[in-house]
Amino acid sequence: MRTPLIAGNWKMYKTVGEGVELVEALLKGVEVGYVDDRQVLICPPFTALYPLAPLLADSPIALGAQNMYPADQGAFTGEVSPVMLQDIGCQFVILGHSERRQIVGEDDALISQKVTSAMEHGLTPVLCVGETKPQRDAGEAETVTLGQLRAGLGGLAAEQVRDVVIAYEPVWAIGTGVTATPGDAQAMHAAIRGALASHYGQSTADAVRILYGGSVKPDNIDVLMAQPDIDGALVGGASLQAESFLRIVNFQ
Ligand code: PEP
C-alpha cells in the first residue's frame, strides 16, 4: 500500500524565526492529532533548512528542499548540491516545479539530471509535472504532463522509479484558488499511473506515490484524497499557517 504524503512547499516565504515558529506549532499539532498512517513533509527555503533540521529530527515531519543543482560541488555560483542537502538532514527535494520551469527557465533535460542526481544521493525527488491553461484548453494536458514525466524519469533505472514521488500540478491551479475537479485530477493521476505501468511495469506503477498540487485547502483535501490514484498533496499557500496545514494533514 502507498503511504499518503502531505508535503508543504513554503516557496520563498519565512525567515528563520518565522520558520521556527511555524515548525513549533506544527510539531505541537501533530503531537495531539497525528495518525501515523500518513507521512508529512515540509520544504522551507534554503536559508531555513539548517536551523530547522534539529527541530525535526526524530519527529514525524520530514525535511525537504525546493531545488538543487545536479553536481556534488564545483563552480556553480548560487547553487546548492545534493551532498549539502544530505549533509544537513534533508530527505526529499522538490524538482521541476512549474515556477522554476516558467520563471527560471528550467527544461526537461536539466530536471532529468536533477532527478537522477537526487536519487544517487539518497534524496527522494518530488518531480512536479503539469500543463498550463492554454495547453489544457488545446486538449494537450495529458500529452504535456506525460511528456514531462517521461523526460524527468528518463535517467533512472526501472528499479529506482518506484521510490520517486510525482506531483501532478496543473499550472493554472497553482496559487490561483482554482482547483482541478476531483474527477479531472483523478483522470490525470490514472493516466500518469498508466504511463508508469507501461514503461516500468504494474508493480512499480502501484508503488509510486502521485500527489496532487494546486490550491489544495482544508475544504477540498478530503474529496481529493478520496480519489483512488491521489496519494497525497503538495501544498503551497495553505502550508504557511499551522492551522490550515494541520487540517490538510489530518484529512479524513
Ligand atoms: C505549489 O506551490 O506547489 C502549490 C501547489 O501552491 P498552492 O497550493 O498555493 O496552489
Side-chain angles (χ1 to χ4, degrees), residues 1-246:
M1 263 320 283
R2 301 181 291 268
T3 303
L5 172 64
I6 303 294
N9 172 15
W10 291 9
K11 310 195 188 198
M12 199 174 73
Y13 291 99
K14 305 289 180 193
T15 61
V16 171
E18 291 164 348
V20 168
E21 211 172 286
L22 177 52
V23 161
E24 284 173 350
L26 293 176
L27 288 171
K28 229 179 256 163
V30 293
E31 231 170 67
V32 284
Y34 182 65
V35 205
D36 69 0
D37 62 350
R38 57 203 65 185
Q39 197 177 13
V40 185
L41 164 67
I42 57 166
C43 300
F46 283 132
T47 47
L49 291 173
Y50 184 60
L52 293 181
L55 303 182
L56 297 171
D58 304 318
S59 85
I61 303 179
L63 184 65
Q66 299 173 21
N67 183 33
M68 51 156 258
Y69 191 78
D72 291 6
Q73 59 178 6
F76 302 105
T77 302
E79 298 291 344
V80 172
S81 85
V83 175
M84 295 165 182
L85 296 179
Q86 258 279 359
D87 182 46
I88 62 162
C90 285
Q91 296 139 274
F92 291 79
V93 58
I94 297 172
L95 296 173
H97 192 282
S98 63
E99 285 152 14
R100 296 207 60 84
R101 292 179 191 263
Q102 296 199 317
I103 301 168
V104 188
E106 289 193 10
D107 63 11
D108 280 334
L110 176 62
I111 293 161
S112 167
Q113 285 177 39
K114 291 184 179 197
V115 169
T116 305
S117 171
M119 289 296 292
E120 282 168 356
H121 290 88
L123 294 165
T124 300
V126 179
L127 170 63
C128 301
V129 295
E131 81 287 354
T132 62
K133 181 80 168 69
Q135 288 166 337
R136 174 157 284 260
D137 291 346
E140 296 164 357
E142 198 174 301
T143 314
V144 168
T145 299
L146 299 186
Q148 291 173 350
L149 178 77
R150 209 170 18 254
L153 300 178
L156 297 184
E159 63 273 14
Q160 291 177 301
V161 170
R162 62 174 48 240
D163 296 322
V164 174
V165 174
I166 306 297
Y168 169 57
E169 299 209 303
V171 179
W172 45 271
I174 297 180
T176 58
V178 180
T179 319
T181 65
D184 283 348
Q186 163 58 26
M188 189 63 83
H189 282 229
I192 290 171
R193 205 174 305 285
L196 291 171
S198 54
H199 280 85
Y200 305 104
Q202 193 63 49
S203 110
T204 296
D206 286 341
V208 173
R209 290 183 289 182
I210 308 173
L211 315 184
Y212 170 78
S215 298
V216 172
K217 305 287 178 208
D219 62 3
N220 58 29
I221 184 68
D222 296 338
V223 65
L224 287 164
M225 289 306 295
Q227 306 303 311
D229 286 295
I230 297 185
D231 306 312
L234 181 53
V235 186
S239 72
L240 296 173
Q241 282 166 353
E243 193 185 347
S244 51
F245 191 58
L246 286 167

